[in-house]
Amino acid sequence: MGESSGGGVLPTPESTSIEVMAHLKAGKCTTVELIGHYLRVLETTGRDLGAAVEVHSDSALAAAQESDARRASGKPLGKLEGVPFTAKMNISTAEGTTDAASGMLRGFKANEDSTAVARLRAEGAILVGKSNCDEFAMGASNESSHHGVVHNPWDRDRVPGGSSGGAAALAGSFGWAFHLGSDTGGSIRQPAAFCGATGLKPTWGRVSRRGLVAFGSSLDQIGPLTRDARDAQLVLSVMEGGDPLDATSQDFDSVKTPTETSAETISMKRIGLVSEGLTDAIDPEIRQRALEVTEQLKNMGHEVVEVSLSTLSKANACYQVIATAEASSNLARFDGIHTGQRVESEDLEELYSKSRRQGFGAEVRRRIMLGTFVLSSGYIDAYYGKAQQVRHEIRQEILSALDTVDSLMMPVSPFAPFKIGERVSDPLALYACDILTVTANLAGVPAVAIPCGFDSGGLPIGLQWMGKHGDDHRLLDLATSLQDQDDAWRGLPPGGSQ
Amino acid sequence: MSWTTVVGLEIHAQMATQTKMFCACRRGSSASANESICPVCVGWPGALPVLQSEAIRCAIRAALCLHCDIQEFSRFDRKNYFYPDLPKGYQISQFYRPYALGGGIPFEREDGSPAELPLVRIHMEEDAGKSVHESDGTSRIDLNRCSSPLLEIVSEPLTMTGKEAASCVRSVRDLLRWVEVCDGDMEKGNLRCDVNVSVMPEGSNEYGTRTELKNLNSFVSIERSVLVESARQIEVLTNGGEIRQETRLWDQDREITESMRGKEDSPDYRYFPEPDLPVVQIRSEDIEEQRAALPEMPEVRLSRWLNDYGYPQLETVPLMARRANGDYLEEMIKEGADPGSASNWFRGEILRHLNDRSEKIEDFPVKAKDLAALIVAVKEDRFSGGRAKSLLQEALDPEVSLESLIEAAGSQEQDTDALAEWVDQVIAENPDAIAKIRDGDMKPMGFLMGQIMKLSSGQAHPKKVQELIRARLS
Ligand SMILES: [Zn+2]
């Protein structure tokens, strides 16, 4: 990278968070130098991509100074000491705004860190800003944010995926930092795949949702978007575990530190290649890549078998019903009375409808209406009730499949990143982005997406692996062993950084 | 044609917990508006509910005293509706899987015979806040009550009069107070009631269309509204009309019910399982722990009093009115007072004092143990009844302890010198009376006693006085 203004030598741009920590430990640069430069990356590349919507320079530099002081005085250092990170706009942070990329919450200050952010900071990680996303995390292209669209760093005319599009564009374009996203139906994995980043959706309940602006509570999980699986594992190990302020959170076993990661022993020996993930509906280049990686896994000593998930075709419809139902209720609190922008009116009914019509964007309104409909008297059994039934079937099928194999493998997205604006007016085409990702959310199981090369157009291809509840670290071990085979993932897009 | 009235009850009882249901905010706070609130109870984005175990313990006690079948697994659901005092836009309730099924409310028929109103279920839910509508048209919202724990007790329909319906609610109120689940002050709104009323021709077993009377907040309004509403329905039916299934409001001043909304306008609450809360598990250990912590139940206490203490039924009424009354009485008896005197003192001195001040026994400044000591002293003839009462009067001053008064007064035996002087004085002043007594006419004895008592300001012990006079005259 070259010298920083303070005279220290900065890490190379593609360096992972773990490599950055080693760099700082070796005294090659100070944390203030590192953070100072990363803030400039956010201000330039991050802003240019539309990915960074807030840069918290003052608080980040103050934290960096404290970190340097800790290091200088020999005080104990955190597991993520000095590492910069961003939080998605729907994750509460003490500084800045948490507007979920919605005009409804314009200027909303949470004033308190979410549990995940607080745990990361307690281990020395430094919050540097907030990332763009789809409004209330509803979308797969990051085109519904009131902060504007995000551009894919590999092709700026294309979408970065969504809803954690900002986090993915940042992770895909520059190293050092990690980025917190949230995944309700693929919102971490799909943008990670589109932008060439690693993304983990943890087991539901593994990471506290406290401080996450809720979309579909039974599906939502906060997770990391990083350069590689080792970083994801470290970040997860810091933020995971039961939280007294989230009754649905819990501890899971197999917490590992990344230094212990595999390579010696094969994690997840038996891999199930999901045949429904390789149908004609999936881009042939992506299918081809999946088969090549399968061969690679075999060479590494894995057994790969084909597994059929007959429920996969029902998953997206099921997801749309459950996610919108929960969203319609979760977003009711933005009523203009207590929370959310108010449009004044003499009449209460009118105040509600005007505030909500003006505050919410079109996609959010569409989902609220859908969700309200599927829960309505006369329809609830046919839609929500049926979807709950199907969800149960999906869960059963996944769990019984995971009795025969350790992990289920699929592409993340059925197609490559598409052009900005290409699908924005066609909700069904956008919902199709989720067909391979929603299953993990519906079943509550962990899934990791890693970059696995590029298509002929030079666009990243991502593949994902699902595991049993609580198998997050084993999945990350598997991902690490794959990433150790081939470091193509290290490459940054041309012009992605300054 | 003769008509029968059928009544079903939905009773909402605020649980008397320290905290709210899903956060650690103080419940029942008398703090000024919006002071007892936090991100959870105001539905701040990202805040999540966490069920407080105290609410569960309270709910178990309620289910035990109404003999319900407590479910090992129950679940919370969201009841969705928009209202300014409901900041989340939904209320966390139990719709599909309530924690308690069955059970019944014991009550007394108008003819005095015992009966039971069977229950469908009890479920837990959170309360909403309060909207205060000002005369200038503005509305203010106070969220202090928001997310306080409630029980909703839902009965089956039963043939009942208005008076009997009120008696059911009173019975629930008394029981919930007894087990310290609910303060039960209807005027403060911590017990509210919705009443379903229908009528059918006598002898029929097919219920008529019901109407629902919302938010009744006194026993009188329950009794009167059932009477008035059933009369209205009978009149409609007699005139060939039909009853519309609807929600009606009771106008207490005009003694009429008025239509609020029809069934077709009733809100669609779109209930679905609350994804932020895990399934509630109530294990048998949890139930047994609460059962063990239950106080002696009223029917058990009453029969013990009737049998062991020999109290006449009527005498027990004020003693049974509140559990704390009986607890105080039992404490006196445990400390050595005999049951008869304890009851007399309670119904006499104590209740008079409390009624004068509209206070409760918890406010009574004298400890049961000290009052018991006084009763024992009277029994042992160390004080006269009159002297004891005046000591108790003095001890009603919170600054004064009865224990030290008893100690200071010692027994009236120690006053022998003063007593001897008064006796000598009276003997000297009444030679005629003395002469009569010496002649064997004991009639003037009462007069002499009276004189001595007057001199002693009522403090002389009559038995001692009598003994002294006899000693002087012999
Ligand atoms: Zn609270």
Side-chain angles (χ1 to χ4, degrees):
Chain A
M1 178 75 228
E3 292 195 358
S4 79
S5 51
V9 176
L10 292 167
T12 53
E14 77 278 8
S15 301
T16 65
S17 298
I18 289 174
E19 288 162 357
V20 160
M21 281 198 292
H23 194 90
L24 288 171
K25 192 179 177 194
K28 293 179 185 164
C29 72
T30 64
T31 310
V32 167
E33 286 163 353
L34 181 97
I35 295 296
H37 185 79
Y38 194 80
L39 291 168
R40 284 192 292 281
V41 171
L42 283 183
E43 288 290 5
T44 52
T45 314
R47 298 261 192 207
D48 290 348
L49 290 168
V53 288
E54 260 180 22
V55 181
H56 299 167
S57 301
D58 294 348
S59 54
L61 284 171
Q65 257 161 13
E66 284 169 27
S67 177
D68 279 334
R70 269 199 297 277
R71 200 183 292 277
S73 64
K75 289 207 177 111
L77 301 178
K79 289 179 191 157
L80 286 163
E81 191 69 38
V83 175
F85 77 106
T86 66
K88 187 173 171 178
M89 256 309 195
N90 62 351
I91 297 173
S92 299
T93 52
E95 299 93 12
T97 56
T98 302
D99 67 7
S102 177
M104 177 58 96
L105 281 176
R106 197 183 299 273
F108 178 79
K109 291 188 190 322
N111 292 328
E112 207 181 353
D113 281 340
S114 55
T115 298
V117 168
R119 287 181 178 178
L120 293 165
R121 291 176 127 164
E123 288 294 338
I126 295 171
L127 181 74
V128 288
K130 301 293 283 266
S131 66
N132 204 350
C133 60
D134 277 300
E135 183 179 5
F136 284 107
M138 296 176 187
S141 61
N142 215 128
E143 293 169 283
S144 70
S145 166
H146 87 123
H147 296 291
V149 300
V150 177
H151 303 269
N152 191 312
W154 295 89
D155 177 347
R156 295 194 176 204
D157 291 335
R158 292 179 187 270
V159 302
S163 65
S164 310
L170 291 173
S173 57
F174 198 91
W176 302 10
F178 64 89
H179 308 274
L180 290 189
S182 66
D183 192 317
T184 306
S187 279
I188 287 175
R189 290 160 288 154
Q190 183 254 17
F194 275 16
C195 295
T198 295
L200 172 75
K201 184 209 87 78
T203 303
W204 190 77
R206 184 160 204 142
V207 177
S208 169
R209 291 182 291 118
R210 182 204 152 238
L212 172 68
V213 179
F215 163 12
S217 311
S218 74
L219 305 155
D220 293 342
Q221 265 292 282
I222 291 176
L225 290 100
T226 55
R227 295 298 304 155
D228 73 347
R230 280 198 173 88
D231 277 3
Q233 190 150 38
L234 176 58
V235 172
L236 178 68
S237 69
V238 169
M239 65 181 179
E240 70 187 355
D243 173 9
L245 298 175
D246 174 359
T248 63
S249 68
Q250 57 172 302
D251 291 328
F252 286 90
D253 293 338
S254 81
V255 178
K256 283 187 176 185
T257 57
T259 47
E260 289 175 273
T261 52
S262 68
E264 313 94 43
T265 57
I266 294 183
S267 183
M268 305 206 139
K269 192 167 169 59
R270 279 174 68 83
I271 308 285
L273 182 64
V274 179
S275 40
E276 285 79 1
L278 297 173
T279 62
D280 292 349
I282 315 298
D283 181 297
E285 286 196 63
I286 295 175
R287 271 187 277 157
Q288 181 57 33
R289 193 63 202 124
L291 293 172
E292 286 163 17
V293 172
T294 304
E295 288 310 307
Q296 197 181 343
L297 283 165
K298 285 181 187 160
N299 292 337
M300 289 160 62
H302 291 272
E303 273 175 60
V304 182
V305 292
E306 266 206 30
V307 171
S308 168
L309 288 183
S310 65
T311 56
L312 200 75
S313 57
K314 303 178 187 171
N316 205 19
C318 171
Y319 167 80
Q320 292 300 337
V321 172
I322 288 170
T324 57
E326 292 183 7
S328 71
S329 174
N330 281 329
L331 270 59
R333 71 194 63 200
F334 307 112
D335 58 1
I337 302 269
H338 299 275
T339 320
Q341 302 287 324
R342 181 186 300 180
V343 178
E344 289 293 352
S345 169
E346 288 294 302
D347 178 64
L348 180 64
E349 196 95 347
E350 197 177 88
L351 185 151
Y352 282 142
S353 63
K354 283 191 171 166
S355 300
R356 287 169 67 81
R357 169 158 289 276
Q358 184 171 312
F360 292 130
E363 179 57 26
V364 171
R365 289 206 306 275
R366 183 182 296 121
R367 296 203 194 192
I368 290 173
M369 283 189 283
L370 261 173
T372 304
F373 170 73
V374 300
L375 288 174
S376 296
S377 165
Y379 301 97
I380 183 166
D381 292 340
Y383 291 94
Y384 183 79
K386 186 85 187 168
Q388 288 284 59
Q389 240 170 28
V390 173
R391 183 177 191 175
H392 183 73
E393 280 170 37
I394 290 171
R395 198 183 157 95
Q396 291 306 111
E397 188 175 39
I398 292 287
L399 292 186
S400 65
L402 285 170
D403 272 344
T404 61
V405 295
D406 298 312
S407 172
L408 293 163
M409 174 183 168
M410 278 194 290
V412 175
S413 168
F415 35 70
F418 44 90
K419 289 264 171 70
I420 290 171
E422 190 182 317
R423 290 174 185 244
V424 74
S425 56
D426 184 356
L428 289 180
L430 266 178
Y431 297 167
C433 297
D434 302 329
I435 56 169
L436 300 175
T437 46
V438 293
T439 291
N441 303 81
L442 289 167
V445 298
V448 63
I450 60 171
C452 292
F454 299 86
D455 67 9
S456 51
L459 295 168
I461 290 175
L463 299 175
Q464 64 173 330
W465 285 262
M466 294 189 279
K468 286 196 194 77
H469 295 105
D471 260 356
D472 312 51
H473 287 282
R474 292 182 68 210
L475 276 181
L476 290 165
D477 286 345
L478 171 69
T480 294
S481 64
L482 269 165
Q483 288 179 328
D484 282 348
Q485 294 288 309
D486 173 1
D487 66 357
W489 57 269
R490 292 191 74 93
L492 294 176
S497 68
Q498 334 170 247
Chain B
M1 187 173 9
S2 262
W3 296 86
T4 302
T5 303
V6 176
V7 179
L9 300 174
E10 281 172 34
I11 301 167
H12 302 258
Q14 281 180 7
M15 287 195 262
T17 51
Q18 295 295 308
T19 69
K20 293 186 178 182
M21 195 164 194
F22 299 113
C23 60
C25 288
R26 264 188 70 83
R27 185 205 64 92
S29 164
S30 51
S32 45
N34 297 311
E35 279 197 349
S36 193
I37 58 172
C38 74
V40 176
C41 54
V42 305
W44 202 243
L48 297 169
V50 177
L51 179 61
Q52 306 291 302
S53 57
E54 195 192 357
I56 289 283
R57 292 197 294 270
C58 233
I60 293 173
R61 288 204 300 280
L64 284 175
C65 74
L66 292 168
H67 305 291
C68 305
D69 186 6
I70 297 174
Q71 306 296 296
E72 184 179 2
F73 295 104
S74 63
R75 206 180 56 194
F76 286 100
D77 300 294
R78 289 188 186 176
K79 178 180 182 177
N80 296 283
Y81 65 96
F82 284 93
Y83 203 69
D85 60 22
L86 189 73
K88 292 194 296 292
Y90 57 84
Q91 179 186 19
I92 303 176
S93 181
Q94 292 193 306
F95 181 73
Y96 295 106
R97 308 233 336 239
Y99 84 99
L101 297 175
I105 303 172
F107 73 103
E108 213 169 72
R109 290 286 184 190
E110 284 198 40
D111 65 6
S113 61
E116 189 183 70
L117 172 62
L119 294 180
V120 179
R121 59 190 274 165
I122 311 182
H123 66 253
M124 298 178 267
E125 62 185 25
E126 59 174 344
D127 212 340
K130 262 185 208 161
S131 299
V132 183
H133 303 290
E134 310 281 353
S135 53
D136 66 357
T138 57
S139 294
R140 291 171 202 287
I141 297 157
D142 178 5
L143 296 179
N144 283 349
R145 197 181 68 185
C146 203
S147 201
S148 295
L150 285 179
L151 290 175
E152 184 168 331
I153 302 164
V154 184
S155 87
E156 302 276 5
L158 187 71
T159 302
M160 274 195 286
T161 64
K163 198 167 190 169
E164 288 165 349
S167 139
C168 281
V169 179
R170 191 187 301 275
S171 166
V172 168
R173 199 260 325 244
D174 291 347
L175 278 169
L176 294 185
R177 270 186 180 171
W178 195 271
V179 296
E180 289 167 346
V181 164
C182 175
D183 296 337
D185 289 326
M186 292 192 83
E187 64 278 14
K188 285 189 191 152
N190 54 41
L191 193 84
R192 322 190 274 270
C193 186
D194 301 340
V195 179
N196 289 307
V197 180
S198 67
V199 297
M200 60 183 180
E202 199 166 281
S204 163
N205 48 21
E206 201 176 315
Y207 295 143
T209 305
R210 66 193 158 86
T211 58
E212 185 183 25
L213 304 168
K214 276 268 183 212
N215 269 327
L216 300 169
N217 58 5
S218 72
F219 297 121
V220 175
S221 62
I222 293 166
E223 179 179 341
R224 296 295 304 163
S225 65
V226 169
L227 200 72
V228 168
E229 174 60 13
S230 56
R232 183 192 70 85
Q233 292 185 10
I234 291 166
E235 195 186 330
V236 169
L237 293 171
T238 311
N239 293 333
E242 268 185 19
I243 302 301
R244 218 163 70 97
Q245 191 177 336
E246 62 185 355
T247 301
R248 298 179 71 85
L249 287 177
W250 169 241
D251 185 328
Q252 188 159 349
D253 300 329
R254 291 152 68 207
E255 287 237 320
I256 52 164
T257 68
E258 283 179 307
S259 182
M260 182 178 142
R261 59 168 182 245
K263 189 193 175 201
E264 61 284 356
D265 301 323
S266 68
D268 180 359
Y269 292 122
R270 307 190 308 280
Y271 286 100
F272 74 98
E274 166 57 282
D276 288 334
L277 288 166
V279 163
V280 180
Q281 184 179 14
I282 302 178
R283 296 162 308 167
S284 55
E285 302 96 272
D286 304 326
I287 299 174
E288 289 321 309
E289 195 183 301
Q290 290 311 306
R291 201 193 302 277
L294 282 181
E296 182 182 40
M297 294 306 282
E299 67 276 13
V300 178
R301 174 174 278 181
L302 183 61
S303 80
R304 191 168 55 80
W305 283 359
L306 298 179
N307 296 327
D308 298 1
Y309 297 166
Y311 290 163
Q313 179 94 34
L314 203 61
E315 195 175 310
T316 61
V317 174
L319 300 173
M320 288 294 299
R322 293 184 64 247
R323 192 183 115 211
N325 290 359
D327 290 348
Y328 190 96
L329 180 92
E330 290 288 354
E331 176 79 12
M332 286 198 285
I333 294 170
K334 201 186 96 200
E335 293 292 338
D338 64 289
S341 307
S343 164
N344 286 335
W345 278 80
F346 196 99
R347 287 176 299 115
E349 302 307 304
I350 298 180
L351 278 187
R352 192 174 311 127
H353 175 83
L354 298 180
N355 292 343
D356 285 352
R357 286 164 184 74
S358 315
E359 283 179 353
K360 293 176 180 168
I361 186 66
E362 292 89 327
D363 309 316
F364 194 61
V366 177
K367 284 190 241 147
K369 177 171 148 286
D370 296 342
L371 187 48
L374 190 66
I375 291 172
V376 170
V378 172
K379 205 73 181 173
E380 290 174 352
D381 274 337
R382 283 188 281 131
F383 294 121
S384 66
R387 172 80 172 128
K389 280 176 188 171
S390 66
L391 283 179
L392 178 60
Q393 284 305 317
E394 272 183 69
L396 293 176
D397 179 346
E399 304 288 305
V400 179
S401 108
L402 180 58
E403 192 184 8
S404 48
L405 279 182
I406 295 174
E407 206 171 299
S411 89
Q412 285 161 345
E413 263 166 316
Q414 288 160 352
D415 301 337
T416 328
D417 288 351
L419 196 57
E421 270 178 41
W422 292 326
V423 170
D424 290 343
Q425 187 186 338
V426 170
I427 289 174
E429 283 169 6
N430 298 285
D432 294 354
I434 301 300
K436 277 186 185 168
I437 292 171
R438 286 224 161 107
D439 288 346
D441 178 2
M442 295 308 282
K443 269 185 218 152
M445 195 65 163
F447 168 74
L448 293 179
M449 294 278 295
Q451 294 298 303
I452 294 163
M453 294 307 280
K454 208 182 270 172
L455 279 174
S456 74
S457 317
Q459 309 229 339
H461 196 293
K463 217 169 175 182
K464 290 270 178 252
V465 174
Q466 231 165 11
E467 277 168 17
L468 271 174
I469 296 174
R470 280 178 212 278
R472 289 285 186 280
L473 297 186
S474 62

